């Protein structure tokens, strides 16, 4: 369901009559002015080229605005009502902004040529999109680091940190030749460990294995081996599905790990707060850019459709969802006089120009042609697919 329609109809010199004509055919649907400034028309070639370019920008910018909403929703785990209050444009809700849209001449000067305005909007949107990607890359990096820390704190004994589990008394005194090794053994293989650890390699101290801790999956054992066979012992243990942990008891290193984990948690919170505030602050800029592209599309298509000098009425319609199809049909029927049957085919072809072209050998697809005709309207018509905050 589309929440808003943006359409333009000929004014024929009297905007009040044009407004009345639209209003009388949309029933109880809401209609709002869509304020456009006086824009430079340029050449026909420029308008035709812009028509294609603006359509591409429209799709891309809609995607960017969607990224803002999806990202903020994911990061904050907010409800629709909470998101609605977060995402504003010039201190207005999105619905209020669309209903009261007016060209921002301070940001996008209307006395410039249309290609210049389009390029300026594109540059601002490109910068916003690049910032979003950079911030998300930064956040995902710290999030991955945090996930590693939490996995070490909460995982099973084969992966979690052994800080706080292994005590100094579990290790032999420092030696040039011997080392205490800690091995995570699947609980179901504990008997295999007890029966085989002394024979995994030479130079394993007999009867040196001791149980340190256990969880639902693994049991942690210590064993004393000569340092010279440590690598061989680890490989043989791995073949038996025993996990030799890379751990040497070092109180200074353990304190460093604890501080590092705390620092990562604090960094994640700081980066999360930063990106959420940036998303809320920059959302208005993204939506403003998108709506100004919509405004340019309305102007360009209206001039191409209705000719010069510009004499058309742009409006925003919030259609009654249950009557949307009927309302659109009534508008099509009323404004059918704008198109002759021969021009309708031409316009239908233009409406389908973004679709893959058939080769000369391809069979004519009447169903596809009918779909193109059904999408085409004799007046300028665009959708503003803003259903995210639709509470109905």
């Amino acid at each position: 369901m589309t929440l808003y329609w943006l359409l333009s109809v000929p004014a024929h010199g009297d905007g009040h009559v044009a407004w009345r004509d639209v209003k009388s055919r949309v029933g109880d649907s809401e209609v709002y002015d869509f304020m456009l400034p006086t824009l430079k028309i340029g050449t026909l070639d420029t308008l035709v080229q812009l028509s294609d370019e603006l359509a591409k920008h429209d799709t891309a910018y809609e995607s960017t605005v969607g990224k803002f909403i999806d990202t903020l929703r994911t990061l904050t785990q907010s409800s629709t009502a909470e998101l609605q209050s977060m995402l504003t444009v010039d201190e207005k809700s999105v619905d209020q902004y669309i209903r009261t849209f007016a060209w921002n001449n301070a940001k996008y000067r209307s006395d410039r040529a249309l290609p210049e305005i389009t390029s300026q909007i594109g540059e601002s949107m490109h910068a916003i999109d690049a910032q979003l990607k950079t911030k998300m890359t930064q956040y995902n990096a710290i999030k991955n680091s945090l996930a590693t820390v939490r996995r070490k704190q909460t995982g099973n004994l084969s992966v979690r940190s052994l800080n706080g589990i292994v005590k100094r008394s579990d290790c032999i005194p420092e030696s040039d030749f011997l080392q205490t090794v800690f091995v995570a053994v699947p609980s179901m293989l504990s008997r295999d460990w007890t029966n085989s650890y002394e024979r995994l390699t030479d130079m394993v101290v007999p009867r040196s294995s001791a149980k340190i801790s256990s969880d639902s999956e693994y049991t942690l054992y210590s064993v004393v081996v000569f340092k010279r066979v440590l690598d061989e012992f680890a490989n043989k243990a791995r073949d038996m599905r025993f996990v030799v942990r890379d751990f040497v008891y070092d109180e200074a290193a353990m304190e460093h790990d604890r501080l590092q984990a705390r620092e990562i948690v604090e960094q994640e919170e700081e980066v999360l707060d930063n990106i959420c505030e940036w998303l809320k602050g920059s959302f208005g800029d993204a939506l403003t850019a998108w709506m100004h592209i919509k405004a340019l599309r309305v102007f360009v298509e209206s001039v191409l459709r209705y000719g010069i000098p510009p004499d058309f009425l742009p409006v925003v319609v919030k259609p009654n969802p249950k009557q949307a199809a009927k309302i659109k049909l009534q508008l099509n029927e009323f404004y059918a006089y704008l198109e002759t049957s021969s021009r309708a085919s031409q316009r239908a072809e233009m409406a389908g120009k973004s679709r893959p072209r058939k080769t000369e050998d391809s069979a004519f697809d009447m169903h596809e042609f009918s779909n193109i005709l059904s999408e085409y309207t004799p007046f300028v018509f665009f959708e503003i697919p803003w259903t995210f905050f639709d509470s109905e």
Side-chain angles (χ1 to χ4, degrees):
M1 178 180 64
T2 300
L3 187 57
Y4 289 103
W5 292 345
L6 177 56
L7 55 91
S8 168
V9 298
H12 299 304
D14 193 333
H16 295 291
V17 173
W19 173 278
R20 184 191 63 199
D21 289 340
V22 172
K23 183 62 180 174
S24 65
R25 276 150 189 86
V26 299
D28 61 354
S29 298
E30 301 170 22
V31 183
Y32 306 94
D33 285 316
F34 191 77
M35 306 300 294
L36 291 180
T38 300
L39 297 167
K40 293 184 177 181
I41 298 174
T43 65
L44 177 61
D45 287 344
T46 298
L47 293 176
V48 172
Q49 182 178 352
L50 272 178
S51 178
D52 289 338
E53 185 178 339
L54 289 170
K56 295 175 182 177
H57 286 322
D58 192 354
T59 301
Y61 298 171
E62 178 184 340
S63 175
T64 298
V65 169
K67 288 179 188 176
F68 270 78
I69 299 169
D70 292 340
T71 301
L72 193 59
R73 176 176 54 189
T74 300
L75 295 181
T76 63
Q77 297 294 306
S78 299
S79 66
T80 297
E82 291 170 334
L83 278 175
Q84 188 173 9
S85 65
M86 292 179 194
L87 299 177
T88 59
V89 187
D90 297 333
E91 299 183 350
K92 297 179 180 179
S93 69
V94 173
D95 292 290
Q96 289 174 323
Y97 176 75
I98 294 175
R99 295 172 184 178
T100 60
F101 176 83
W103 186 272
N104 189 335
N105 207 51
K107 182 173 288 189
Y108 307 117
R109 285 175 46 187
S110 60
D111 60 348
R112 293 180 174 177
L114 294 179
E116 290 183 36
I117 299 174
T118 303
S119 178
Q120 182 186 0
I121 297 174
E123 290 174 2
S124 64
M125 202 62 163
H126 177 75
I128 291 171
D129 196 46
Q131 281 185 285
L132 176 59
K133 291 178 180 177
T134 298
K135 289 182 177 295
M136 286 308 300
T137 298
Q138 179 187 11
Y139 176 71
N140 287 331
I142 193 71
K143 186 178 178 181
N144 290 337
S145 297
L146 181 60
T148 300
V149 168
R150 287 176 174 167
R151 185 168 61 251
K152 290 181 178 179
Q153 293 175 339
T154 61
N156 60 47
L157 287 168
S158 71
V159 294
R160 70 177 299 177
S161 171
L162 299 184
N163 293 340
I165 297 176
V166 174
K167 302 178 179 60
R168 177 176 290 279
S169 58
D170 296 322
C171 307
I172 63 171
E174 186 173 348
S175 167
D176 292 334
F177 303 101
L178 298 173
Q179 180 173 329
T180 303
V181 177
F182 297 92
V183 183
V185 177
S187 297
M188 65 181 66
L189 300 180
S190 291
R191 179 172 295 182
D192 291 349
W193 165 261
T194 302
N195 294 334
S196 65
Y197 79 89
E198 294 178 352
R199 299 189 301 275
L200 289 178
T201 65
D202 295 333
M203 299 186 176
V204 176
V205 177
R207 299 182 181 181
S208 62
S209 178
K211 180 179 176 180
I212 305 299
S213 182
S214 64
D215 58 27
S216 61
E217 299 178 62
Y218 287 86
T219 300
L220 184 70
Y221 291 94
S222 65
V223 63
V224 180
V225 303
F226 279 76
K227 291 181 178 180
R228 60 184 296 183
V229 299
L230 184 57
D231 290 341
E232 181 185 358
F233 179 85
N235 291 332
K236 293 294 182 63
R238 188 180 302 113
D239 293 339
M240 297 287 291
R241 296 171 55 195
F242 307 147
V243 181
V244 176
R245 299 299 311 275
D246 183 13
F247 177 82
V248 176
Y249 188 88
D250 185 331
E251 291 184 350
M254 288 191 291
E255 180 62 20
H256 175 269
D257 289 346
R258 279 193 290 268
L259 293 176
Q260 186 179 48
R262 184 186 307 169
E263 182 180 348
I264 291 174
V265 171
E266 293 174 352
Q267 285 181 352
E268 193 270 346
E269 293 175 352
E270 181 180 350
V271 171
L272 178 60
D273 289 342
N274 177 274
I275 192 172
C276 287
E277 288 303 313
W278 180 84
L279 284 167
K280 289 185 282 187
S282 299
F283 172 79
D285 294 332
L287 188 73
T288 296
W290 181 36
M291 287 301 298
H292 279 71
I293 286 294
K294 290 282 191 187
L296 289 178
R297 290 195 75 186
V298 168
F299 180 81
V300 169
E301 295 301 326
S302 296
V303 172
L304 288 174
R305 292 274 189 111
Y306 310 137
I308 53 175
D311 182 24
F312 57 88
L313 174 71
V315 295
V316 170
V317 176
K318 183 181 180 182
N320 183 324
K322 297 180 180 179
Q323 300 178 358
K326 180 181 178 181
I327 293 170
K328 191 173 180 182
L329 178 61
Q330 290 176 170
L331 288 169
N332 283 343
E333 291 176 348
F334 180 78
Y335 291 104
Y337 71 88
L338 294 172
E339 295 291 341
T340 64
S341 58
S342 60
R343 291 181 65 198
S345 296
Q346 180 184 8
R347 295 297 190 185
E349 181 181 353
M350 292 178 63
K353 62 189 173 183
S354 62
R355 300 170 181 269
R357 293 187 177 275
K358 298 288 185 179
T359 63
E360 293 182 0
D361 296 333
S362 299
F364 180 76
D365 190 339
M366 178 58 75
H367 178 69
E368 181 178 358
F369 184 71
S370 298
N371 287 339
I372 295 174
L373 285 175
S374 66
E375 294 174 6
Y376 173 73
T377 59
F379 52 91
V380 175
F381 177 89
F382 298 114
E383 296 178 341
I384 305 177
W386 195 257
T387 58
F388 184 79
F389 296 133
D390 191 357
S391 59
E392 297 178 358

